[in-house]
């Protein structure tokens, strides 16, 4: 891969340089640095809030200690049984 192509490919992964040595050593902050500081100061601080537990069928069968695929298999077998019964009765008549 060419150097310019790799630079373009990695450009989205490597953050832009927001502070130059002159801006940092002069004690002042540039407008670009100030916008980054404002952005990060608005982010929530502290631990992440606990996730809400799922309720209903999802919480009962698909999450938690009793999680299993049994309801999905039961639904497939029930639909197969209904379809087989309908097809059997249509062919019979």
């Amino acid at each position: 891969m060419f150097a310019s192509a790799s630079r373009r490919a990695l450009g989205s992964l490597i953050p832009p340089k927001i502070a130059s040595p002159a801006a940092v050593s002069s004690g002042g902050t540039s407008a670009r640095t100030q916008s980054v500081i404002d952005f990060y100061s608005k982010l929530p601080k502290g631990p992440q809030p606990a996730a809400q537990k799922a309720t209903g069928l999802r919480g009962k069968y698909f999450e938690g200690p009793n999680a299993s695929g049994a309801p999905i298999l039961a639904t497939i077998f029930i639909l197969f049984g209904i379809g087989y019964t309908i097809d059997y009765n249509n062919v019979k008549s």
Side-chain angles (χ1 to χ4, degrees):
M1 188 180 336
F2 297 106
S4 61
S6 64
R7 245 183 265 129
R8 272 185 271 132
L10 295 175
S12 62
L13 297 176
I14 300 170
K17 187 175 181 180
I18 59 166
S20 65
V24 174
S25 64
S26 67
T29 58
S30 66
R32 191 170 184 183
T33 306
Q34 189 60 39
S35 68
V36 173
I37 291 171
D38 291 340
F39 171 76
Y40 281 105
S41 66
K42 293 176 186 174
L43 291 177
K45 295 166 184 67
Q48 181 178 6
Q52 295 178 350
K53 291 188 176 185
T55 58
L57 293 175
R58 180 178 165 204
K60 187 174 182 180
Y61 294 109
F62 299 112
E63 295 179 0
N66 298 325
S68 73
I72 294 173
L73 291 175
T75 304
I76 290 171
F77 286 125
I78 289 170
L79 290 175
F80 175 77
I82 292 170
Y84 181 80
T85 305
I86 291 171
D87 191 45
Y88 179 80
N89 287 329
N90 284 339
V91 172
K92 188 177 177 184
S93 52

